[in-house]
Amino acid sequence: MNRNHRRTYLSGAGLGLMYVLTLLALIPLGLVLWFTIAKGLPSVIHPQFLFNSELPPCEPRCPVVSQAGVGHAIVGTGIMVGIASLIAIPVGVLAGIYLAEYRVTPWSNWVRLASDVLVGTPSIAIGLFAYAFLVVPLHHFSAFSGAVALAVLMLPIVTRTTEGAVALIPNGLRESGLALGLPRWRVSLQLVLPAAAPGVITGALLSVARAAGETAPLLFTAFGAHILEFDPSGPMQALPVTVFKYALLPYKSLQDQAWGAALVLIVMVLSINLISRWILRRQIALAGQL
Amino acid sequence: MAVRVEAKTAIVTSRPRDGFQWVVGIVASAVPALLLLIILTLLLQATPAIQHFGARFLVTTDWNPVTDSFGALPAIFGTVFTAFLALALALPVGVAVAVVLAEPGHTTLRGFLGTGIELLAAIPSVVYGIWALYVLAPWSYEHIEIPVSEHLGFIGWFGSPAVRGLFNASLVLAVMVLPTLTAISRDVMKAVPRGLKENAVALGATWWETTWRVMLPSARAGIFGATILALGRALGETIAVTMVIGNAYIIPHSIFQPAYTLASVIANEFTEATGMLYPAALIELGLVLILVTLVVNMLALVLVQSSTRDARRAL
Amino acid sequence: MADVRPYIEPPVTSGRPGLRALRGAGDAKLKVDHLSFFYDRFQALHEVTFEIPQKRITAIIGPSGCGKSTLLRVFNRMYDLVPKAHASGAVFLDNENVVTSRRLLELRQKVGMVFQRPSPFPMSVRDNVAFAPRLLGWPQSRVRSAVEESLERAALLDEVKDRLDQPATSLSGGQQQRLAIARCIAVSPQVILMDEPCSALDPVATLKIEDLMATLTRDFTIVIVTHNMQQAARVSDFTAFMLMNPEGRYGELIEFAPTADLFNQPQDDRTEAYITGRFG
Amino acid sequence: MADVRPYIEPPVTSGRPGLRALRGAGDAKLKVDHLSFFYDRFQALHEVTFEIPQKRITAIIGPSGCGKSTLLRVFNRMYDLVPKAHASGAVFLDNENVVTSRRLLELRQKVGMVFQRPSPFPMSVRDNVAFAPRLLGWPQSRVRSAVEESLERAALLDEVKDRLDQPATSLSGGQQQRLAIARCIAVSPQVILMDEPCSALDPVATLKIEDLMATLTRDFTIVIVTHNMQQAARVSDFTAFMLMNPEGRYGELIEFAPTADLFNQPQDDRTEAYITGRFG
Amino acid sequence: MPRLTFERELASLRESLVRMGTLVESQIEAALDALRRRDGSAAEKVRTQDQYLNELFRQMREQVFMVISTQQPVARDLRYLMGLQWIATELERMGDYAVRIARMTGTLVALPDRPLRAEFGLMGELAIGQVHDILEALIDQNEPRAREVAARDNEIDRLYHRVFEDLVKEIGNGHIDSDGALRSVTLLLVAHNLERISDRVTNVAEDIIFLESGQVVELG
Amino acid sequence: MPRLTFERELASLRESLVRMGTLVESQIEAALDALRRRDGSAAEKVRTQDQYLNELFRQMREQVFMVISTQQPVARDLRYLMGLQWIATELERMGDYAVRIARMTGTLVALPDRPLRAEFGLMGELAIGQVHDILEALIDQNEPRAREVAARDNEIDRLYHRVFEDLVKEIGNGHIDSDGALRSVTLLLVAHNLERISDRVTNVAEDIIFLESGQVVELG
Ligand SMILES: Nc1ncnc2c1ncn2[C@@H]1O[C@H](COP(=O)(O)OP(=O)(O)OP(=O)(O)O)[C@@H](O)[C@H]1O
Ligand SMILES: Nc1ncnc2c1ncn2[C@@H]1O[C@H](COP(=O)(O)OP(=O)(O)OP(=O)(O)O)[C@@H](O)[C@H]1O
Ligand SMILES: [Mg+2]
Ligand SMILES: [Mg+2]
Ligand SMILES: O=P([O-])([O-])[O-]
């Protein structure tokens, strides 16, 4: 009786504590968003910020010149992530299908382990790899090598998310398909994969977002550039690199530039994320009905 | 009768070969192949340093491009220290969040929290970096480090506060690994069959008792795995740390002092690295980093898988 | 035999022959009184009124979605787990209205529940049974005896007595379900609710559970929801038939009667249609 | 009536009265011949031998784990999905040995299967049925007619004819199961295997399916695995009772007989013990 | 939803019952015919035919078993099945009466011929009519009809008592030889059996009422 | 595994059946007693007691319904239930015979007293013995015993025929008044009914054999 009262109150208190801690965890998010917007907006509000590729003049305490912009970084990120996606997504999706459809074979276990390890591999190390593998032989930095680094980064993500989505499709669907006398590849590609499509797309989007936000792999592959570049065989600027490099420089104008780039980056990445989450929810709901 | 004999001899059933399996299987092999390629390449590039320093590399402390004498110990120390401190800070919060998010039924509040945590994961590390550099570090310097060093300064570990240093790096790291921690812990907790909770409640257990005596025990291994996985992330995190750790190639005597991590050394110095040994040494750092994370990750994977398997069996 | 002859006592004239009949109805344990239930806006139960007799097995049958589980989950307030769910009307357990009760822990100790999936806790067999008693802070000795006794009563002790410290997940499906029952009677409840306790088991395990229920009625009032009409017929003393009201889209109680009567002379045509399989 | 009287033909003396009896056994569709089955090292079936008569319903019953599903999955080689699984002995479908057959796709078109969970494809009702025919490259017109006909035969057309283009997942559980049946008969198989097709359904939906099966026997040979003995009794013409061999730990066929006989004069004591619920 | 298989089984059961009924009817008729025509061989035929009747009855029971054990009927369905089975039993018994009458014919043909009382014809007519009509009542599930048919029992009883008294008087008036005695007594038993037949019809009527409405009634 | 509930139900069914049996036995005994002692009121009592018997029978049937519809017995179990029910029917009928004998006693007491033939006593003994023993055979599930008991039928038949012939002769020897005639005929019917009782016992024996072994046999 009395004891039960005590238990009830304790329980309530515990629940409260949990929620408090959760809110605490969200404070950084709020702060990051707030400061990025607060400090980035002044630069971004100038429309040309997104299109120009000018550096602000960089003497100490000189005013922000309105020609300044990060267009070249945006384009660079776009190009490199694009190339990376072209490489990583098809391979990743097929690999994911393999992992999901042939779950128990010993080889698939190795593949799974490898991709999990690859997901955990520090991006900087992947940068080193791309450098050693492409930059050294070709003797110059190139956006392409950066793209490759990003692809390596994306591949395991795509693989695992695809696997997750495909594995979410109940086995009954496969068996029903096979029981109708359909060949295995038709069942996998024409029945299961469509059913899992939203999940797969989500995975791809997430990997894209991740790649778009990465700095380390690009530092010594794409290296960066101060002008608008379209040729992937040469160095190229990227948004995160912009943020990283300018932020560390002691010039207010460049730091503002960095904040602006950060804002652009975060908007890009977060929007991709929200979209993918939305798709994913539909996927889960759908799979629930199957 | 003859038929029967024929039948009984046909022991193994003939399976037509599954071409599809081969195709996707080969494509999938790209992943492990890539991993091997990475390690081999780095090994190759690092050989000069490896041959030159041998095992000494891991235990010596000086880092002098001029004299070409390189030792990894300070970087290793910084890496490991920041990672563990970060986890120590993140773990309690992370588990709490997981518990809250794993609650059944979808309330708007919980939905909001969940989204928030996942967005936390989505924010690029460079953005954390710039934020930590200009907002978090100065703030923590004023409101944490100074007061602490004033009161506990006599303990050397809490002396000599600095804006950029181990502690602030760990702080930002903690924020960054939190999503990994929560995401996986939550999934593991969700994998705990709903029946368990219902049964506990039906037996007259309170929410708290249900959570701590039934839910968490079922998810224990998984949560531990999540922690290790987070550790892996923390070890490998580059940019944000690089921006706030202060870049001092020393083993500091205070947690507030500047230091260095494997990743940040590479990030800072690789592009300027010239000559024969210098780049090789840096690449060897990378190699060390990879191997450490590789071990840690494998450990984590084993744990997570085993726990989710248990959950499935209990179901 | 010569002596009996002249004096032949008139035979009993109870409508329901057989042992169960002779035991009669006894008095009510749960009085369900104009109970309506809502999942947020959706009404799942409408004005359900009947009395569940003490130390008898009462079965609740009806087509899927008619609100059987919902009704059951009102009796121990499990629905509190569902956000926005609420009930109107009353369910009296010894003159305490369950629906408005605030002492949930006591209530759930008095009204135990067994679910479709046994879901043993991730601990040893013994700890599973000892779970609730320990929460109540019983002394070690009492806990130990309670464990013994419950396993005994759940007809499980013999099978597991040398595996008490192995993880409960190592038991077979049927054993796990009996473990769930033992776990539930460890705090000696007065009522045991069972929601399709056998639908995950094979016929053999099922019959074991059914026999167990028959013996448990000595001490407990049992309410069982089942999809399996034959099972309801086999095990229960009383049966409640529920149906989803065609226009109202809410579940109602159609008929409540001694099982033997309900399956021989159902009073309501819908009941007859259902039990003879001519429904819908 | 006056005319009949003098000439009374001698009554039929068939052992199994009733319509099903009058239909008799007919000839065998599937000849199972000393079939043993192994999951890698574990032997699930041992020397199973019996004949499944054409255009009849044959039920396979037995306690959990005795190998019912395994046996069923041999008939259309579904076990190929399980690595290292292999069978010895033979199963003849029109003199072709299923076990050694290499033409799996034809086989599975000839021997359709319906599972416990209907698992509708994530597409419209129509496309669900049309899926296989399309991929088999049938001409549009033929596909269309096949869809119509299959839905009709699956006793589903009337209920869904105005929802053909809605997602199949919007159907009720029972309808989904009948959709699965329609999907399976769309490629006009000769044999339909059903693995506990009703154990996820409520009694009403179940009886619908059972009636459907009764009508389907006009054109198909049906083999159904079920946990529900009463169901086997209700729907099947022949019943096979399987049991896990106590020492061998492998499933065997204990008795195969016309259902009426098996449930009235079982020849084997284990069968009697099982059907009268005194097993184990 | 109809439950096809079960309905089919019921139909075929009803069918075999009707079959039995027809057979019984003709058996009684044949037995009385033989009695009227003092035809020993015809009487013999009745006894052989009874085999069929018994076989039909055996099958009927077996089928009822089959249906109960495979279809698990409850409530009305179960009542119906049991009712059919009880009726079958009654019919089988009626067949026995026919056989007994045939046997007695056997006794009578050995005795000197004498004109047969009109009542026997009447009772026969009535009994057969009852059997016939009760079966129709069963098929049409016509309860009132069943009651009506059962009510005719009194008619037969009246005749039976008349026959009884006359025979007793006949015996009582002294001058009667042993053949006469045997004949009278035998005829008396014939009458008794006819009366029993119509009692059985009453039972059938009760069974029909039961399987239609579930009421247990006492007619006559 | 025993299936407790079902076993309980069976037990209670067997019990009520034994109850019926005992009652039938005593009814027959009472009826014959009344006949011997020419005690009209005792005979009357037999007829009232028959109410109980019918009630017991009604309940028995109801219970069988209940068990079948709730326990869905098959194979041996179902056979057992049905067998019990058939036996109950037979017992109820035996009760009817007792009642009829009682009625005839009613007729006889109105007639001048004359010593009763010894055969009646014997037949009564035999019949009652049969009923008693057949019930024991049922309870002990003793099939051979049942056959043995049924076999005793011949004994009674023999006695019946002797009575029959004697009575016919008595009638046939001319000088007999109307009372005498009525008495003889009535006694004849009494004998007939006793004989029928033992026929019923034979049926019961057949039922016992069926519910034990599933064989359908024709005894006697
Ligand atoms: N958590 C919930 N939220 C909203 N509606 C619910 C919830 N649970 C059940 N319902 C609805 O309430 C109705 C009754 O559900 P309930 O589970 O009690 O039916 P049931 O008779 O138990 O069905 P079944 O026999 O399939 O278990 C159903 O229409 C269901 O859709
Ligand atoms: N994929 C598999 N690998 C190894 N063993 C298996 C596999 N599937 C089934 N078994 C084993 O084979 C035996 C027969 O399994 P099966 O599913 O055929 O039994 P069942 O009669 O269908 O049981 P249930 O009635 O529960 O479905 C069981 O002992 C099971 O453990
Ligand atoms: Mg339910
Ligand atoms: Mg199975
Ligand atoms: O067959 P009965 O003796 O009852 O006429």
Side-chain angles (χ1 to χ4, degrees), chain A residues 29-50:
Chain A
L29 177 66
L31 290 176
V32 171
L33 292 179
W34 167 249
F35 280 100
T36 320
I37 294 166
K39 290 175 178 275
L41 214 49
S43 327
V44 179
I45 45 170
H46 303 297
Q48 84 288 351
F49 184 80
L50 297 178

Side-chain angles (χ1 to χ4, degrees), chain F:
Chain F
M1 180 187 39
R3 286 197 63 177
L4 303 174
T5 329
F6 181 62
E7 297 296 348
R8 285 217 211 91
E9 297 290 352
L10 275 190
S12 93
L13 263 172
R14 228 181 275 109
E15 182 185 286
S16 359
L17 195 63
V18 172
R19 201 132 162 231
M20 277 185 78
T22 331
L23 186 44
V24 166
E25 228 176 295
S26 57
Q27 282 283 80
I28 300 171
E29 196 151 352
L32 290 170
D33 228 47
L35 180 68
R36 206 178 304 109
R37 302 207 322 277
R38 300 173 50 81
D39 177 341
S41 65
E44 191 49 42
K45 184 150 176 304
V46 169
R47 282 151 84 170
T48 53
Q49 283 280 16
D50 193 51
Q51 305 299 324
Y52 293 158
L53 196 56
N54 294 340
E55 169 62 14
L56 265 179
F57 175 59
R58 202 189 57 54
Q59 275 184 38
M60 179 92 190
R61 275 210 313 208
E62 196 175 299
Q63 189 172 357
V64 168
F65 265 88
M66 193 276 258
V67 177
I68 292 181
S69 57
T70 57
Q71 299 292 318
Q72 273 92 23
V74 293
R76 176 170 300 143
D77 298 340
L78 181 58
R79 245 176 13 233
Y80 203 91
L81 274 172
M82 294 296 239
L84 289 182
Q85 186 210 15
W86 296 338
I87 294 175
T89 318
E90 299 294 344
L91 289 175
E92 190 265 350
R93 290 281 156 81
M94 294 186 196
D96 291 352
Y97 294 132
V99 171
R100 276 194 235 143
I101 292 174
R103 274 216 213 84
M104 290 157 188
T105 310
T107 331
L108 289 174
V109 287
L111 302 173
D113 187 4
R114 293 257 224 90
L116 191 62
R117 254 201 196 53
E119 287 87 353
F120 286 97
L122 286 174
M123 286 177 80
E125 295 290 318
L126 278 170
I128 293 165
Q130 269 189 308
V131 174
H132 185 180
D133 298 352
I134 203 68
L135 281 173
E136 278 186 6
L138 171 67
I139 296 159
D140 318 343
Q141 318 200 333
N142 186 341
E143 198 178 308
R145 184 81 192 283
R147 290 176 180 281
E148 179 269 314
V149 174
R152 298 192 215 150
D153 180 36
N154 306 334
E155 184 59 21
I156 292 195
D157 283 1
R158 236 193 53 253
L159 288 168
Y160 171 57
H161 287 119
R162 195 192 308 156
V163 171
F164 188 88
E165 275 147 26
D166 292 2
L167 285 171
V168 170
K169 212 178 286 113
E170 180 178 314
I171 297 170
N173 66 11
H175 32 73
I176 178 173
D177 63 357
S178 64
D179 280 1
L182 180 53
R183 182 161 186 288
S184 310
V185 172
T186 313
L187 284 176
L188 189 132
L189 286 179
V190 170
H192 175 76
N193 279 303
L194 285 171
E195 184 266 341
R196 292 296 296 151
I197 289 182
S198 90
D199 289 354
R200 294 294 191 182
V201 170
T202 315
N203 296 353
V204 174
E206 286 170 3
D207 294 341
I208 291 177
I209 292 168
F210 175 79
L211 63 78
E212 289 302 337
S213 69
Q215 258 94 47
V216 180
V217 294
E218 274 291 337
L219 297 178

Side-chain angles (χ1 to χ4, degrees), chain B residues 101-308:
Chain B
L101 292 185
E103 278 289 299
H106 184 87
T107 65
T108 46
L109 172 59
R110 224 178 282 119
F112 166 75
L113 293 180
T115 319
I117 297 294
E118 293 192 10
L119 292 189
L120 213 48
I123 294 172
S125 53
V126 69
V127 176
Y128 278 117
I130 189 173
W131 171 72
L133 180 58
Y134 290 108
V135 182
L136 180 63
W139 178 85
S140 106
Y141 173 72
E142 284 212 4
H143 300 86
I144 301 177
E145 300 192 358
I146 297 207
V148 169
S149 58
E150 275 168 359
H151 296 91
L152 301 173
F154 57 89
I155 310 173
W157 272 107
F158 296 108
S160 56
V163 174
R164 301 191 187 184
L166 276 176
F167 178 75
N168 289 340
S170 310
L171 215 51
V172 66
L173 265 184
V175 174
M176 294 177 72
V177 297
L178 194 61
T180 321
L181 208 53
T182 48
I184 296 167
S185 311
R186 178 202 52 199
D187 294 349
V188 177
M189 299 262 306
K190 272 194 180 295
V192 175
R194 173 173 170 68
L196 278 179
K197 187 187 179 73
E198 282 191 332
N199 273 283
V201 172
L203 284 171
T206 62
W207 179 88
W208 184 254
E209 290 157 345
T210 311
T211 306
W212 284 90
R213 295 182 186 230
V214 178
M215 304 295 278
L216 285 179
S218 321
R220 196 190 301 112
I223 291 174
F224 188 55
T227 317
I228 307 292
L229 219 54
L231 179 64
R233 296 275 183 287
L235 291 170
E237 176 49 42
T238 312
I239 298 301
V241 177
T242 311
M243 293 168 86
V244 292
I245 196 160
N247 309 344
Y249 204 90
I250 53 162
I251 299 180
H253 52 75
S254 156
I255 65 169
F256 297 136
Q257 276 191 328
Y260 236 145
T261 68
L262 292 163
S264 44
V265 177
I266 301 168
N268 275 336
E269 304 188 359
F270 192 74
T271 40
E272 295 96 47
T274 54
M276 177 66 190
L277 270 179
Y278 193 10
L282 284 167
I283 291 184
E284 190 174 359
L285 287 185
L287 202 56
V288 173
L289 183 56
I290 277 198
L291 296 178
V292 173
T293 49
L294 194 136
V295 171
V296 170
N297 280 321
M298 291 206 176
L299 181 59
L301 292 175
V302 173
L303 287 166
V304 174
Q305 277 168 8
S306 69
S307 79
T308 40

Side-chain angles (χ1 to χ4, degrees), chain E residues 20-21 23-25 27-28 31 46 50 53 86-101 127-128 130-132 134-135 193-194 196-205:
Chain E
M20 277 185 76
L23 187 44
V24 167
E25 225 176 299
Q27 282 282 80
I28 301 171
V46 170
D50 192 51
L53 197 55
W86 296 338
I87 293 175
T89 319
E90 299 295 343
L91 289 176
E92 190 265 350
R93 290 281 157 81
M94 294 188 199
D96 292 351
Y97 293 133
V99 171
R100 276 193 235 143
I101 292 176
I128 294 165
Q130 269 189 308
V131 174
H132 185 171
I134 203 70
L135 281 171
N193 280 303
L194 284 171
R196 293 296 295 153
I197 289 183
S198 90
D199 289 354
R200 296 294 191 181
V201 171
T202 315
N203 297 352
V204 174

Side-chain angles (χ1 to χ4, degrees), chain D residues 39 42 44 62-71 82 196 225 227 244:
Chain D
Y39 288 106
F42 173 78
S64 193
C66 65
K68 306 185 290 296
S69 305
T70 305
L71 179 58
V82 183
E196 298 175 20
V225 161
H227 259 161
M244 174 80 95

